[in-house]
């Protein structure tokens, strides 16, 4: 009966956090073990007693301050220096600016919202198809869950009980691979469609754009540099980054007003609380998984099909593509990790870092695929383009992601090389 309750609630579009909590309550009632009711609240609270979870609201706050402080526009201008003169230059600028933003925001939906509003009108003005412009922006948002810092990596690291800093390092090479694959897609589509050639900045314009961008560039340097050199934990790096974003936006660019801080704190608190409540509910849902021995039963089923780690990851990829289409990426990570990670580690000796990168990238694809497709609809709303038109231009990017996923599944070193060194 418990699995039925879980499935029915999901199909009725009940928020995932409530689905997890209600399923656990039903299981306790059905089992007759009323003592578990007494520790229900305690179990939920213990699920969020983790220092690493503080990074989530801090990274969100950094993104809010960047948007308010005018840093996004200056990062886009800096991207123009490096790729602006190529054929299809504005599409490359879009991609490179998304890489910069991914190293700061860490949230795909937030990044798609910001970049779709900024880049789609510009690309349309220069003669690009509106659907392709929105599709490029939406695809660029997929870099956010892979290039550190990533909110999904923070959540996976907490659930898997592995260092979040190492999890961030595991995403560096896959993130660069994804960016290169998107650049190849832009080059191929540009060659076939005859994209307009961009214009290079003059020397003076390039120096000016670079100087204006340098204060904003301190933010990703503080986040990644602090973690990479062991100066700060991810949470401390997020706190430093939010402070830098505030000071740069207020004192350097003079676009961020202290009077707007309360509104930003409120938006951050609301967004972060939904994610943290899901994690708390997932900790209670862990009772159901443990008592039902779900990982062990699933492991015996999968190991009867294959003993090859690569084939196992391919099976997981196919299953998660379906899961990601109907469940939000963060919610899916919270649901899937406790079930599949023990199987990956114990039965197939797969590194938790490789597994985390693969499932996070896979699940975020659901942002751009119907029927849920939150990122697709955000890009559609912000750009004024129909979801169908975006989807028609998006498929080469989705194919590129599939190729990268296969490579990451086949070669563990792509995810672990920086950790090993």
């Amino acid at each position: 009966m418990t699995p039925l309750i879980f499935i029915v609630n999901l199909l009725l579009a009940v928020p995932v956090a409530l689905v997890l909590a209600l399923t656990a309550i039903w299981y306790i009632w059905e089992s007759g073990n009323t003592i578990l009711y007494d520790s229900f609240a305690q179990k939920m609270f213990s699920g969020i007693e983790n220092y690493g979870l503080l990074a989530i609201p801090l990274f969100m706050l950094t993104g809010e301050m960047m948007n308010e402080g005018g840093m996004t526009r200056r990062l886009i201008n800096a991207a123009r220096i490096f790729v602006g003169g190529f054929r299809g230059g504005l599409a490359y600028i879009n991609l490179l600016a998304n890489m910069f933003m991914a190293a700061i925001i860490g949230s795909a939906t937030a990044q798609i919202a910001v970049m779709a509003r900024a880049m789609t009108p510009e690309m349309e003005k220069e003669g690009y198809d509106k659907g392709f412009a929105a599709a490029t922006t939406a695809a660029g948002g997929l870099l956010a869950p892979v290039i550190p810092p990533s909110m999904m990596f923070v959540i996976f690291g907490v659930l898997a009980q592995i260092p979040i800093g190492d999890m961030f390092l595991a995403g560096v090479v896959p993130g660069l691979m994804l960016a290169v694959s998107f650049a190849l897609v832009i080059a191929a589509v540009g060659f076939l469609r005859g994209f307009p050639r961009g214009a290079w900045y003059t020397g003076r314009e390039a120096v000016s754009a670079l100087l204006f961008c340098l204060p904003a560039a301190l933010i990703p340097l503080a986040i990644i540099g602090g973690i990479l050199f062991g100066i700060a934990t991810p949470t401390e790096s997020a706190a430093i980054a939010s402070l830098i974003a505030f000071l740069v936006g207020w004192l350097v660019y003079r676009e961020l007003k202290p009077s707007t801080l309360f509104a930003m704190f409120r938006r951050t608190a609301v967004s972060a609380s939904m994610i943290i409540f899901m994690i708390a509910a997932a900790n209670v849902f862990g009772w159901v998984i443990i008592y039902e021995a779900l990982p062990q039963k699933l492991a015996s089923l999968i190991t009867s099909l294959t003993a090859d780690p690569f084939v196992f990851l391919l099976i997981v990829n196919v299953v998660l593509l379906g899961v990601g289409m109907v469940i939000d990426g963060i919610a899916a990570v919270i649901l899937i990790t406790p079930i599949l990670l023990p199987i990956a580690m114990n039965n197939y000796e797969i590194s938790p870092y490789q597994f985390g990168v693969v499932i996070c990238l896979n699940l975020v694809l659901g942002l751009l695929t119907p029927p849920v497709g939150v990122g697709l609809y955000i890009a559609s709303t912000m750009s004024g383009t129909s979801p169908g038109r975006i989807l028609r231009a998006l498929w080469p990017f989705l194919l590129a992601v599939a190729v990268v996923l296969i490579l990451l599944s086949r070669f563990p070193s792509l995810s672990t090389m920086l950790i090993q060194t």
Side-chain angles (χ1 to χ4, degrees):
M1 188 63 180
T2 302
L4 183 61
I5 295 295
F6 176 78
I7 293 166
V8 167
N9 279 317
L10 275 182
L11 292 176
L12 290 174
V14 176
V16 173
L18 292 179
V19 172
L20 298 174
L22 290 171
T23 304
I25 290 170
W26 182 274
Y27 183 84
I28 294 168
W29 178 79
E30 203 172 43
S31 66
N33 191 351
T34 53
I35 296 173
L36 292 176
Y37 278 122
D38 298 332
S39 55
F40 189 90
Q42 183 183 0
K43 191 74 175 172
M44 286 192 77
F45 184 75
S46 68
I48 56 174
E49 278 187 308
N50 191 300
Y51 175 67
L53 287 176
L54 276 174
I56 293 174
L58 289 171
F59 282 132
M60 285 181 168
L61 182 60
T62 302
E64 288 277 355
M65 289 181 173
M66 279 197 61
N67 296 338
E68 197 75 27
M71 282 162 260
T72 305
R73 187 175 67 256
R74 289 169 174 87
L75 287 172
I76 292 171
N77 288 338
R80 192 180 288 271
I81 298 171
F82 303 103
V83 293
F86 295 128
R87 181 174 295 281
L90 205 52
Y92 291 113
I93 290 167
N94 193 343
L95 176 61
L96 194 56
N98 266 295
M99 284 185 69
F100 291 155
M101 294 298 290
I104 297 164
I105 294 182
S107 165
T109 49
Q111 185 171 316
I112 291 169
V114 171
M115 296 303 294
R117 193 166 53 237
M119 288 303 302
T120 306
E122 290 297 317
M123 290 182 70
E124 191 183 8
K125 240 186 278 180
E126 292 200 16
Y128 291 85
D129 175 71
K130 196 174 183 180
F132 179 79
T136 306
T137 308
L142 297 182
L143 295 168
V146 186
I147 292 178
S150 160
M151 239 179 296
M152 287 180 82
F153 281 0
V154 172
I155 294 166
F156 179 84
V158 168
L159 295 172
Q161 297 182 347
I162 56 175
I164 295 169
D166 286 348
M167 192 64 223
F168 282 175
L169 292 179
V172 173
V173 174
L176 293 174
M177 288 173 60
L178 199 60
V180 170
S181 72
F182 287 169
L184 292 174
V185 168
I186 292 170
V189 175
F191 176 76
L192 293 172
R193 295 189 184 179
F195 282 165
R197 188 175 291 278
W200 293 107
Y201 273 153
T202 63
R204 180 175 292 181
E205 287 171 336
V207 170
S208 174
L210 205 55
L211 288 175
F212 274 114
C213 173
L214 283 178
L218 288 173
I219 299 169
L221 285 176
I223 295 169
I224 298 171
I227 295 166
L228 194 60
F229 296 109
I231 300 169
T233 66
T235 303
E236 290 162 352
S237 294
I240 293 166
S242 61
L243 178 62
I244 293 172
F246 171 68
L247 294 176
V248 168
W250 179 35
L251 300 176
V252 179
Y253 296 144
R254 300 185 180 278
E255 293 186 26
L256 178 60
K257 308 298 180 188
S259 58
T260 63
L261 281 177
F262 179 76
M264 285 188 285
F265 288 154
R266 185 178 181 278
R267 286 196 299 269
T268 301
V270 170
S271 300
S273 63
M274 290 189 290
I275 295 171
I276 290 171
F277 180 54
M278 269 198 291
I279 295 170
N283 201 51
V284 178
F285 183 71
W287 277 344
V288 180
I289 294 172
I290 292 167
Y291 284 112
E292 288 294 315
L294 195 56
Q296 292 87 335
K297 291 174 182 176
L298 198 56
S300 63
L301 172 64
I302 295 176
T303 50
S304 68
L305 298 174
T306 180
D308 187 333
F310 176 54
V311 176
F312 165 74
L313 283 175
L314 290 181
I315 294 170
V316 168
N317 276 318
V318 171
V319 171
L320 294 190
L321 278 173
V323 170
M325 287 182 181
V326 293
I327 302 177
D328 174 70
I330 289 175
V333 167
I334 293 169
L335 278 171
I336 294 297
T337 301
I339 299 171
L340 291 182
L341 182 62
I343 302 171
M345 291 177 64
N346 300 331
N347 296 85
Y348 293 95
E349 298 182 349
I350 294 172
S351 162
Y353 301 103
Q354 180 194 11
F355 190 74
V357 169
V358 168
I359 69 165
C360 287
L361 177 55
N362 188 311
L363 289 170
V364 83
L365 275 176
L367 285 173
L368 303 181
T369 50
V372 177
V374 176
L376 181 65
Y377 297 119
I378 288 173
S380 171
T381 302
M382 293 298 178
S383 64
T385 315
S386 71
R389 189 174 174 184
I390 297 173
L391 206 52
R392 283 194 296 274
L394 192 62
W395 71 264
F397 294 101
L398 300 181
L399 189 62
V401 176
V403 171
V404 171
L405 272 173
I406 291 170
L407 290 174
L408 292 174
S409 301
R410 180 66 184 85
F411 303 106
S413 59
L414 294 173
S415 306
T416 58
M417 62 171 69
L418 293 181
I419 301 170
Q420 291 169 348
T421 56

